[in-house]
Each structure stands twice: as C-alpha cells, then as structure tokens.
Amino acid sequence: MNNKNSIVTKLAFLSVSFMVTSAYAIQGSLPQLKAALGISQTQSEYLVTTPSFAVMIFVVLSPLLQQWFNISDKKIIMAGVTIVGLAGIVPMFANDYTTILISRLVLGAGFGLYNSQAISMISVWYEGTTRAQMLGWRAAAEQIGQACTLAIAGLILSYAGWHASFAVYLLAFIVLFFFAIRVPDDSKAQDNHVAEDDLAAELTEEDEPIKKISPVVYLLVLFAFLLVVDYVGMENRFPGLAVAIKGNNYTGSSMFLSLMLIGATLGGLFYGSINKVLGFNTVYLGLGLMAISNFLFAFANGNFVMLVIGLLLIGFPLQLVSPLIFNLLPDLAPAKRQPLVTSMVLIGFNFGAFFSPTIAEWMNRLMGRPLSGMDLAAPFPIYGVMLIVIALIIFFATRRSKQAN
C-alpha cells in the first residue's frame, strides 16, 4: 500500500479535486453559446450552475451506491471522474441547448459521485494539523483546477470556437490515469477511528466519544449555502458590471475571474498555517474579509479598480472558511457518518451555487432595482451585512457555550 504521507500519494488524492470546479470553465464561452443557440442570459448562466443541481442529488446517492454495490472509495472516484470526462466533451458535438443542458447535468452527476469521498477520506485518513493542511490543499486544488480549466477553455475558444472549448474536459482522463496508478484499491480508511483534535470544542459541549451527528452540522450546511450564494453571485455579476463601466465591447472579464482564483488558491494553501495560529478564530477573519469584499464590490459605483479589488478579494477568505467547515466535521459526527455529513455540507454549497442567479434576481426585485447596468451590484450590500450578522451570531453563541462550561 502506498504511504499516505508520500507527496505523490497526496497529490494523487488532491488531483481528483482539480476537476471538481471545472463546471465554471465555460464561463468565457457564454456570450458565444448564447448567440449560437439563441438562448437568454439566464439560460446561458444555468449552463454553468446546472451541474450543481446534479451534484446535490449524487452526493447523497453516492454513499448509498457504495453500500448497495460494495464499491470501494477508489472505484467510486474513478467512476465519477470517467463520467466527468465523457459528459464534459458532449457539447463538442452538439448544437442543441437541451442536449448540452442534459450533458451538463450528467457532468454534475460525475462530480457528485466522488466529491464527498475525496473530502471525507482526507478527514478520516489524516489528523490535526496534517488534516487541516490537506483540506486547505484540497480547496486550493479546486481553485487551481478552476483557474486552469477556465484559462485553457478560454484559449481554445479564441482559436477554435465554443465547441472546441469543451475539449478542456479531456483533462479528466489524465487525472483518472494518475489516480488509478497511484492510489491502491484498499483506499478506504485504515480504521474507523477519528482522533478528536478539539477544533470544534467551541461549538459543542460533547466530551465523550462521538456517537451521533451534532445539530451544529445543520447550521454548517446553511452557512455553506449562504457563502456560495455570495461567491458565485459575484462571479456571475462581474462581467455585466465590467461591461457597464467599460462599454459593450469589453471582453476582459475572464482574465479578472482567473486572477480572482489566484487569491482563492492562496487562501487554500495558507489555510493550514492560518488555522494553526488562529484556530476557530479563522472564521472571523474569513467572514470579515468577505464582508469587506462585498462592500467594495457593491459601492464601486463606476470605479472599475474598486470593483476589481472587491472581486479579487472574495476568493481568499472563502478558502479560509470553507476548509474550516470540513475540518470541523470529524469532531461533529462519528467516523462512519463522515461521508453523510460531508455530503450534507456539499449539498449546501451546491444548492447555493445552483440557485445563486435566482436569489440575486430576487434581491434586485426586492430592492426595486433593474437587472442591468450598475444595478447588478444591488444584492451585495445585503450579502455583506449578512456575513457580519453571521459572524456576530457565531461569536455570541460560542461565548455562551464557553460560559456554560
């Protein structure tokens, strides 16, 4: 069996997360898709977010399928990555919106089939600082994957058109090969014990061995939902705001979206080190920076530099908070329930991603603002205030828990 602490083995496990966020790789192709297929702006945006809907379903089905058919972690991950590769390239040969939309749903099914296993294995295999580091690296791998696939798809788009840009999903087969040759078949956890490192001690009074799922898990699911509504909403609204400031012929949004992912990657890479110093207080740093990002984005009011700073800032704190959520889970549920609670949190993230366009539209309508021009920034002051309120709720809840003890 390969040494779990080997850098190559760690890279093999992290490699499957490289493709998880590749649904966003086609963002740069949306104007061409919209024109070629004769669809609305909302329909084109849902080509990006629809995979998240299938992910929500299959992160629940995946552990059940493993149990029913006695499928190992390695095989379920390989099946998921294979589906991603096959479904991802379907639009290369299709000219029908319905066909492409269905292929995107199947793509999401592939992501959902293996995403929770890729995370929960880290939670079970590793402990303490190493676990935090690996979860941070996994988050960074997602952002690096999104940045790389977005850049590659955009480059292909420039030279060969929107059909060819979907060839980016051929990368899934490279990942599949690396994972297959490096990770052994007995890739499930070597035992069912998860050492508690008391990271979640501020959220729970449980001192006995964990026997059931903590109610805190459900709060984390809602937390994940709200975070991604904000993050994906900013991604979706930036191109429209950039055009409103720079003019209808502006095509540089993809470059800034890629740069945003660099910040997100740094957040994932440094999460382990920051968490080692700040512990649970990492959540306050992350929420504070996200709130600042929202306010900069919301109140740019025609200032392109300020708008870009708000966009670039959002990724770093998100990748401080999201690994922390997963890092808390081993202390909030038994080891045998880790795939389930991981799936629940993933549902929160993907539910937020899928409905982000609709929620942002509701916010605009609630405020009586049109879905055009600088009014596209209307939801973000509300998101910023919500983040501050969440931070205050967490602070007072944890302080009350400490006083009770």
Side-chain angles (χ1 to χ4, degrees):
M1 182 177 185
N2 290 326
N3 181 3
K4 69 178 183 180
N5 292 313
S6 162
I7 187 63
V8 179
T9 301
K10 287 180 177 179
L11 287 174
F13 280 112
L14 295 173
S15 69
V16 294
S17 294
F18 181 87
M19 295 300 299
V20 164
T21 51
S22 61
Y24 299 93
I26 65 164
Q27 281 179 322
S29 305
L30 291 185
Q32 289 77 13
L33 277 162
K34 179 182 174 183
L37 301 176
I39 55 178
S40 68
Q41 178 64 30
T42 301
Q43 285 177 309
S44 68
E45 288 182 7
Y46 269 103
L47 288 176
V48 174
T49 61
T50 288
S52 299
F53 182 78
V55 170
M56 289 188 289
I57 297 172
F58 277 84
V59 293
V60 176
L61 288 179
S62 180
L64 298 176
L65 291 172
Q66 275 192 275
Q67 184 178 357
W68 294 339
F69 298 104
N70 194 27
I71 305 173
S72 69
D73 285 352
K74 178 178 180 178
K75 289 179 180 176
I76 200 75
I77 290 174
M78 289 177 64
V81 177
T82 301
I83 291 171
V84 167
L86 294 175
I89 63 173
V90 167
M92 293 179 65
F93 315 102
N95 289 291
D96 175 68
Y97 177 74
T98 302
T99 301
I100 295 175
L101 188 66
I102 291 172
S103 75
R104 302 293 289 174
L105 274 170
V106 177
L107 178 79
F111 293 142
L113 200 61
Y114 77 85
N115 198 0
S116 61
Q117 281 76 8
I119 297 170
S120 63
M121 279 198 301
I122 292 174
S123 297
V124 175
W125 274 45
Y126 298 98
E127 301 171 7
T129 302
T130 303
R131 185 177 71 202
Q133 185 182 60
M134 282 292 289
L135 287 168
W137 287 353
R138 188 206 64 81
E142 287 190 358
Q143 301 307 314
I144 292 170
Q146 185 177 344
C148 289
T149 54
L150 182 64
I152 293 169
L155 186 64
I156 297 173
L157 172 70
S158 300
Y159 289 97
W162 70 266
H163 276 295
S165 66
F166 286 88
V168 70
Y169 290 102
L170 293 172
L171 289 172
F173 298 109
I174 298 175
V175 168
L176 178 65
F177 177 75
F178 179 40
F179 184 84
I181 64 172
R182 185 64 198 180
V183 177
D185 281 328
D186 56 341
S187 59
K188 296 173 80 72
Q190 297 174 8
D191 56 60
N192 288 325
H193 174 69
V194 177
E196 296 179 41
D197 57 12
D198 295 327
L199 181 61
E202 298 180 60
L203 292 179
T204 177
E205 300 176 21
E206 185 70 62
D207 292 320
E208 301 296 325
I210 303 169
K211 297 179 180 179
K212 62 181 181 179
I213 297 174
S214 168
V216 175
V217 170
Y218 306 107
L219 294 177
L220 292 178
V221 172
L222 178 61
F223 189 21
F225 170 81
L226 294 173
L227 289 175
V228 179
V229 164
D230 181 18
Y231 180 74
V232 174
M234 193 175 290
E235 280 188 305
N236 287 339
R237 292 291 175 93
F238 175 75
L241 286 165
V243 167
I245 295 172
K246 291 288 191 177
N248 291 331
N249 294 324
Y250 182 73
T251 59
S253 296
S254 293
M255 178 183 68
F256 290 108
L257 288 170
S258 296
L259 289 174
M260 177 197 69
L261 297 171
I262 295 175
T265 301
L266 292 174
L269 290 174
F270 288 106
Y271 165 72
S273 300
I274 293 172
N275 180 72
K276 187 176 181 179
V277 175
L278 297 181
F280 187 76
N281 291 325
T282 303
V283 73
Y284 303 120
L285 175 63
L287 289 174
L289 290 175
M290 284 189 74
I292 292 171
S293 171
N294 275 273
F295 293 137
L296 288 171
F297 197 81
F299 300 121
N301 195 29
N303 186 326
F304 187 70
V305 173
M306 187 172 170
L307 183 76
V308 168
I309 292 173
L311 175 76
L312 297 182
L313 180 59
I314 190 93
F316 183 85
L318 178 71
Q319 297 308 323
L320 295 182
V321 178
S322 60
L324 180 68
I325 292 175
F326 291 116
N327 204 15
L328 289 169
L329 294 182
D331 304 319
L332 299 172
K336 65 181 180 180
R337 309 292 282 175
Q338 285 301 306
L340 174 63
V341 295
T342 302
S343 296
M344 290 168 62
V345 172
L346 286 172
I347 288 172
F349 277 120
N350 286 280
F351 197 74
F354 178 69
F355 283 106
S356 180
T358 300
I359 292 173
E361 182 179 349
W362 289 347
M363 290 290 185
N364 272 77
R365 296 188 186 284
L366 182 66
M367 300 174 70
R369 307 279 285 275
L371 287 166
S372 60
M374 295 307 301
D375 287 308
L376 291 173
F380 298 97
I382 299 176
Y383 293 161
V385 171
M386 287 172 61
L387 291 167
I388 293 173
V389 170
I390 289 170
L392 290 172
I393 290 172
I394 294 172
F395 175 76
F396 287 112
T398 54
R399 193 169 75 165
R400 182 177 179 182
S401 177
K402 287 180 181 178
Q403 290 173 349
N405 289 328

